[in-house]
Coordinates of all heavy atoms in Angstrom, one line a residue:
A202 N 6.4 8.9 22.0 CA 7.2 8.7 23.2 C 7.6 7.2 23.3 O 6.8 6.4 23.8 CB 6.5 9.2 24.4
P203 N 8.7 6.8 22.7 CA 9.1 5.4 22.8 C 9.6 5.1 24.2 O 10.1 5.9 25.0 CB 10.3 5.3 21.9 CG 10.3 6.5 21.0 CD 9.7 7.6 21.9
G204 N 9.4 3.8 24.6 CA 9.9 3.3 25.8 C 11.3 2.7 25.6 O 12.1 3.4 25.0
F205 N 11.6 1.5 26.1 CA 12.9 0.9 25.8 C 12.9 0.2 24.5 O 12.2 -0.7 24.3 CB 13.2 -0.1 26.9 CG 13.6 0.6 28.2 CD1 12.6 0.8 29.2 CD2 14.8 1.1 28.5 CE1 12.9 1.4 30.4 CE2 15.1 1.8 29.6 CZ 14.1 2.0 30.6
I206 N 13.7 0.7 23.6 CA 13.8 0.2 22.2 C 15.1 -0.4 22.0 O 16.1 0.1 22.5 CB 13.6 1.4 21.2 CG1 12.3 2.2 21.5 CG2 13.6 0.9 19.8 CD1 11.0 1.4 21.4
E207 N 15.1 -1.6 21.3 CA 16.4 -2.3 21.0 C 17.2 -1.5 20.1 O 17.0 -1.4 18.9 CB 16.1 -3.7 20.4 CG 15.4 -4.7 21.2 CD 16.3 -5.4 22.2 OE1 17.5 -5.1 22.3 OE2 15.8 -6.4 22.8
T208 N 18.2 -0.8 20.6 CA 19.2 0.0 19.8 C 20.6 -0.2 20.4 O 20.7 -0.9 21.5 CB 18.9 1.5 19.8 OG1 18.9 1.9 21.1 CG2 17.6 1.8 19.2
A209 N 21.6 0.4 19.9 CA 22.9 0.3 20.4 C 22.9 0.6 21.9 O 23.6 -0.1 22.7 CB 23.9 1.2 19.6
M210 N 22.1 1.6 22.3 CA 22.1 2.1 23.7 C 21.6 1.0 24.6 O 22.2 0.7 25.6 CB 21.1 3.3 23.7 CG 21.2 4.1 24.9 SD 20.2 5.6 24.7 CE 18.6 5.0 25.0
T211 N 20.5 0.3 24.2 CA 20.0 -0.7 25.1 C 20.8 -2.0 25.1 O 20.8 -2.8 26.0 CB 18.5 -0.9 24.8 OG1 18.3 -0.9 23.4 CG2 17.6 0.1 25.4
H212 N 21.4 -2.3 23.9 CA 22.3 -3.5 23.9 C 23.4 -3.5 24.9 O 23.9 -4.5 25.3 CB 22.9 -3.6 22.4 CG 21.9 -4.3 21.5 ND1 21.8 -3.8 20.2 CD2 21.1 -5.3 21.6 CE1 20.9 -4.6 19.6 NE2 20.4 -5.4 20.4
D213 N 23.9 -2.2 25.2 CA 25.0 -2.1 26.1 C 24.6 -2.3 27.6 O 25.5 -2.4 28.4 CB 25.6 -0.7 26.0 CG 26.3 -0.5 24.6 OD1 26.5 -1.5 23.9 OD2 26.6 0.6 24.2
M214 N 23.3 -2.5 27.8 CA 22.9 -2.7 29.3 C 23.4 -4.1 29.8 O 23.4 -5.0 29.0 CB 21.4 -2.7 29.4 CG 20.8 -1.3 29.3 SD 19.0 -1.5 29.3 CE 18.6 0.2 29.2
K215 N 23.7 -4.1 31.1 CA 24.0 -5.4 31.7 C 22.7 -6.3 31.8 O 21.6 -5.7 31.9 CB 24.6 -5.2 33.1 CG 25.9 -4.4 33.0 CD 26.6 -4.5 34.3 CE 27.9 -3.7 34.3 NZ 27.7 -2.2 34.4
D216 N 22.9 -7.6 31.8 CA 21.8 -8.5 31.8 C 20.8 -8.3 33.0 O 19.6 -8.2 32.8 CB 22.2 -10.0 31.8 CG 22.6 -10.5 30.4 OD1 22.4 -9.7 29.5 OD2 23.2 -11.5 30.3
G217 N 21.4 -8.0 34.1 CA 20.6 -7.8 35.3 C 19.7 -6.5 35.2 O 18.5 -6.5 35.5
Q218 N 20.3 -5.5 34.5 CA 19.5 -4.3 34.3 C 18.4 -4.5 33.3 O 17.3 -4.0 33.5 CB 20.5 -3.2 33.7 CG 20.1 -1.8 33.9 CD 21.1 -0.9 33.2 OE1 22.2 -1.3 32.7 NE2 20.8 0.4 33.2
R219 N 18.7 -5.3 32.2 CA 17.7 -5.6 31.2 C 16.5 -6.4 31.9 O 15.3 -6.1 31.7 CB 18.3 -6.5 30.1 CG 19.1 -5.7 29.1 CD 19.6 -6.7 28.1 NE 18.6 -7.2 27.2 CZ 18.3 -6.6 26.0 NH1 18.9 -5.6 25.6 NH2 17.3 -7.1 25.3
D220 N 16.9 -7.4 32.7 CA 15.8 -8.2 33.4 C 14.9 -7.4 34.3 O 13.7 -7.5 34.3 CB 16.5 -9.3 34.2 CG 17.2 -10.3 33.3 OD1 17.0 -10.3 32.0 OD2 18.0 -11.1 33.8
Q221 N 15.6 -6.4 35.0 CA 14.8 -5.6 35.9 C 13.8 -4.7 35.1 O 12.6 -4.6 35.5 CB 15.8 -4.6 36.6 CG 15.3 -3.9 37.8 CD 14.7 -4.9 38.9 OE1 15.2 -6.0 39.1 NE2 13.5 -4.6 39.4
I222 N 14.3 -4.2 34.0 CA 13.4 -3.3 33.1 C 12.2 -4.2 32.6 O 11.1 -3.8 32.6 CB 14.2 -2.6 32.0 CG1 15.1 -1.6 32.6 CG2 13.3 -2.0 31.0 CD1 16.2 -1.1 31.7
L223 N 12.6 -5.4 32.1 CA 11.6 -6.2 31.4 C 10.4 -6.6 32.4 O 9.3 -6.7 32.0 CB 12.3 -7.5 30.9 CG 13.0 -7.4 29.6 CD1 13.7 -8.7 29.3 CD2 12.0 -7.1 28.5
K224 N 10.7 -6.7 33.7 CA 9.7 -7.0 34.7 C 8.6 -5.9 34.7 O 7.5 -6.2 35.0 CB 10.3 -7.0 36.1 CG 10.9 -8.3 36.4 CD 11.3 -8.3 37.9 CE 12.3 -9.4 38.1 NZ 13.3 -9.1 39.1
N225 N 9.0 -4.7 34.3 CA 8.0 -3.6 34.3 C 7.3 -3.3 32.9 O 6.6 -2.4 32.8 CB 8.7 -2.3 34.7 CG 9.1 -2.4 36.2 OD1 8.4 -2.9 37.0 ND2 10.4 -2.0 36.5
I226 N 7.6 -4.2 31.9 CA 7.0 -4.0 30.6 C 6.0 -5.1 30.4 O 6.3 -6.2 30.2 CB 8.1 -4.1 29.5 CG1 9.2 -3.0 29.7 CG2 7.4 -3.8 28.1 CD1 10.3 -3.0 28.7
P227 N 4.7 -4.7 30.5 CA 3.6 -5.7 30.3 C 3.8 -6.6 29.0 O 3.5 -7.8 29.0 CB 2.3 -4.9 30.3 CG 2.7 -3.7 31.1 CD 4.1 -3.4 30.8
A228 N 4.3 -6.0 27.9 CA 4.4 -6.7 26.7 C 5.5 -7.8 26.8 O 5.6 -8.7 26.0 CB 4.8 -5.8 25.5
G229 N 6.4 -7.7 27.8 CA 7.4 -8.7 28.1 C 8.6 -8.7 27.1 O 9.3 -9.6 27.1
R230 N 8.7 -7.6 26.4 CA 9.9 -7.4 25.5 C 10.2 -6.0 25.4 O 9.4 -5.1 25.6 CB 9.6 -8.1 24.2 CG 8.5 -7.4 23.4 CD 8.4 -7.9 21.9 NE 7.3 -7.3 21.2 CZ 7.4 -6.2 20.5 NH1 8.5 -5.5 20.5 NH2 6.3 -5.7 19.8
F231 N 11.4 -5.7 24.9 CA 11.8 -4.4 24.5 C 11.1 -4.1 23.2 O 10.8 -5.0 22.4 CB 13.3 -4.3 24.3 CG 14.1 -4.1 25.6 CD1 13.9 -5.1 26.6 CD2 14.9 -3.0 25.9 CE1 14.6 -4.9 27.8 CE2 15.6 -2.9 27.0 CZ 15.5 -3.8 28.1
G232 N 11.0 -2.8 22.8 CA 10.4 -2.5 21.5 C 11.5 -2.6 20.4 O 12.7 -2.7 20.7
T233 N 11.0 -2.6 19.2 CA 11.9 -2.6 18.1 C 11.8 -1.2 17.4 O 10.9 -0.5 17.6 CB 11.6 -3.7 17.0 OG1 10.3 -3.3 16.5 CG2 11.5 -5.0 17.7
V234 N 12.9 -0.9 16.6 CA 12.8 0.4 15.9 C 11.6 0.4 14.9 O 11.0 1.4 14.7 CB 14.1 0.6 15.1 CG1 15.3 0.9 16.1 CG2 14.5 -0.5 14.1
D235 N 11.2 -0.8 14.5 CA 10.0 -0.8 13.6 C 8.7 -0.5 14.3 O 7.8 0.0 13.7 CB 9.9 -2.2 12.9 CG 11.0 -2.4 11.8 OD1 11.5 -1.3 11.3 OD2 11.4 -3.5 11.6
D236 N 8.7 -0.9 15.6 CA 7.5 -0.5 16.4 C 7.3 1.0 16.4 O 6.2 1.5 16.3 CB 7.6 -1.0 17.9 CG 7.5 -2.5 18.0 OD1 6.7 -3.1 17.3 OD2 8.2 -3.0 18.9
V237 N 8.4 1.7 16.5 CA 8.3 3.2 16.5 C 8.0 3.7 15.1 O 7.1 4.6 14.9 CB 9.6 3.8 17.0 CG1 9.5 5.3 17.0 CG2 10.0 3.3 18.4
A238 N 8.7 3.1 14.1 CA 8.5 3.6 12.7 C 7.0 3.4 12.3 O 6.5 4.3 11.6 CB 9.4 2.8 11.8
K239 N 6.4 2.3 12.7 CA 5.0 2.1 12.2 C 4.1 3.2 12.8 O 3.1 3.6 12.2 CB 4.5 0.7 12.8 CG 5.0 -0.4 11.9 CD 4.5 -1.7 12.5 CE 5.4 -2.9 12.2 NZ 5.2 -4.0 13.1
T240 N 4.4 3.6 14.0 CA 3.6 4.7 14.7 C 3.8 6.0 13.9 O 2.8 6.8 13.7 CB 4.0 4.8 16.1 OG1 3.9 3.5 16.7 CG2 3.0 5.7 16.9
V241 N 5.0 6.2 13.5 CA 5.3 7.5 12.8 C 4.6 7.4 11.4 O 4.0 8.4 11.0 CB 6.8 7.6 12.6 CG1 7.1 8.8 11.6 CG2 7.5 7.9 13.9
I242 N 4.5 6.3 10.8 CA 3.8 6.2 9.5 C 2.3 6.5 9.7 O 1.8 7.3 8.9 CB 3.9 4.7 8.9 CG1 5.4 4.4 8.5 CG2 3.0 4.5 7.7 CD1 6.0 5.3 7.5
F243 N 1.7 6.0 10.7 CA 0.3 6.4 11.0 C 0.2 7.9 11.2 O -0.7 8.5 10.6 CB -0.1 5.6 12.3 CG -1.4 6.1 12.8 CD1 -2.6 5.9 12.1 CD2 -1.5 6.7 14.1 CE1 -3.8 6.4 12.6 CE2 -2.7 7.1 14.6 CZ -3.9 7.0 13.8
L244 N 1.1 8.5 11.9 CA 1.0 9.9 12.2 C 1.3 10.8 11.0 O 1.0 11.9 10.9 CB 1.8 10.3 13.4 CG 1.4 9.8 14.7 CD1 2.4 10.2 15.8 CD2 0.0 10.4 15.1
A245 N 2.0 10.2 10.0 CA 2.4 10.9 8.8 C 1.3 10.7 7.7 O 1.3 11.4 6.7 CB 3.7 10.3 8.2
S246 N 0.4 9.8 7.9 CA -0.6 9.5 6.9 C -1.9 10.2 7.1 O -2.2 10.7 8.2 CB -0.8 7.9 6.9 OG -1.6 7.6 8.0
Q247 N -2.8 10.1 6.1 CA -4.1 10.8 6.2 C -5.0 10.1 7.3 O -5.9 10.7 7.7 CB -4.8 10.7 4.9 CG -4.2 11.7 3.9 CD -5.0 11.7 2.6 OE1 -5.8 10.8 2.4 NE2 -4.6 12.6 1.7
S248 N -4.6 8.9 7.7 CA -5.4 8.1 8.7 C -5.4 8.9 10.0 O -6.3 8.7 10.8 CB -4.8 6.8 9.0 OG -4.7 6.1 7.8
S249 N -4.5 9.8 10.2 CA -4.4 10.5 11.5 C -4.7 12.0 11.3 O -4.4 12.8 12.2 CB -3.0 10.4 12.1 OG -2.0 10.9 11.2
D250 N -5.5 12.4 10.3 CA -5.7 13.8 10.0 C -6.5 14.5 11.1 O -6.4 15.7 11.3 CB -6.5 14.0 8.7 CG -5.6 14.0 7.5 OD1 -4.3 13.9 7.7 OD2 -6.1 14.0 6.4
Y251 N -7.2 13.8 12.0 CA -8.0 14.5 13.0 C -7.3 14.3 14.4 O -7.9 14.5 15.5 CB -9.4 13.9 13.1 CG -10.4 14.9 13.8 CD1 -10.5 16.2 13.4 CD2 -11.2 14.4 14.8 CE1 -11.4 17.0 14.1 CE2 -12.1 15.2 15.5 CZ -12.2 16.6 15.1 OH -13.0 17.4 15.8
I252 N -6.0 13.9 14.3 CA -5.3 13.7 15.6 C -4.2 14.8 15.6 O -3.4 14.9 14.7 CB -4.6 12.3 15.6 CG1 -5.7 11.2 15.6 CG2 -3.7 12.2 16.9 CD1 -5.2 9.8 15.6
T253 N -4.2 15.7 16.6 CA -3.1 16.6 16.7 C -2.9 17.0 18.2 O -3.8 17.0 19.0 CB -3.4 17.9 15.8 OG1 -2.1 18.6 15.7 CG2 -4.4 18.8 16.4
G254 N -1.6 17.4 18.5 CA -1.2 17.8 19.8 C -1.0 16.6 20.8 O -0.8 16.8 22.0
Q255 N -1.1 15.4 20.2 CA -1.0 14.2 21.1 C 0.4 13.6 21.2 O 1.3 13.8 20.4 CB -1.9 13.1 20.5 CG -3.4 13.5 20.3 CD -4.0 14.0 21.6 OE1 -3.9 13.3 22.7 NE2 -4.5 15.2 21.6
T256 N 0.6 12.9 22.3 CA 1.8 12.1 22.5 C 1.4 10.6 22.5 O 0.7 10.2 23.4 CB 2.5 12.5 23.7 OG1 2.9 13.9 23.6 CG2 3.8 11.7 23.9
L257 N 1.9 9.9 21.5 CA 1.6 8.4 21.5 C 2.7 7.7 22.2 O 3.9 7.8 21.7 CB 1.4 7.9 20.1 CG 0.0 8.2 19.4 CD1 0.0 7.6 18.0 CD2 -1.1 7.6 20.3
T258 N 2.5 7.0 23.2 CA 3.6 6.2 23.9 C 3.7 4.8 23.1 O 2.6 4.2 22.8 CB 3.3 6.0 25.4 OG1 2.0 5.4 25.5 CG2 3.4 7.2 26.2
V259 N 4.9 4.5 22.8 CA 5.1 3.2 22.2 C 6.1 2.4 23.1 O 7.3 2.5 23.0 CB 5.8 3.4 20.8 CG1 6.0 2.1 20.1 CG2 4.9 4.3 19.9
D260 N 5.5 1.8 24.2 CA 6.3 1.3 25.3 C 5.9 0.0 25.8 O 6.3 -0.4 26.9 CB 6.3 2.4 26.4 CG 5.0 2.5 27.1 OD1 4.0 1.9 26.6 OD2 4.9 3.2 28.1
G261 N 5.1 -0.8 25.1 CA 4.7 -2.1 25.5 C 3.9 -2.1 26.8 O 3.8 -3.1 27.5
G262 N 3.4 -0.9 27.2 CA 2.6 -0.8 28.4 C 3.4 -0.3 29.6 O 2.9 -0.2 30.7

Side-chain angles (χ1 to χ4, degrees):
F205 287 96
I206 306 300
E207 295 278 10
T208 58
M210 195 169 81
T211 41
H212 277 138
D213 291 346
M214 285 176 178
K215 298 196 178 77
D216 280 351
Q218 201 184 353
R219 281 179 72 94
D220 293 346
Q221 194 57 41
I222 291 166
L223 279 174
K224 276 190 200 143
N225 293 316
I226 302 177
R230 65 171 178 89
F231 281 56
T233 66
V234 291
D235 290 333
D236 288 323
V237 181
K239 282 180 207 159
T240 309
V241 171
I242 294 299
F243 169 64
L244 291 174
S246 75
Q247 287 181 353
S248 307
S249 60
D250 277 356
Y251 201 53
I252 298 176
T253 196
Q255 301 304 306
T256 298
L257 280 183
T258 52
V259 181
D260 67 352

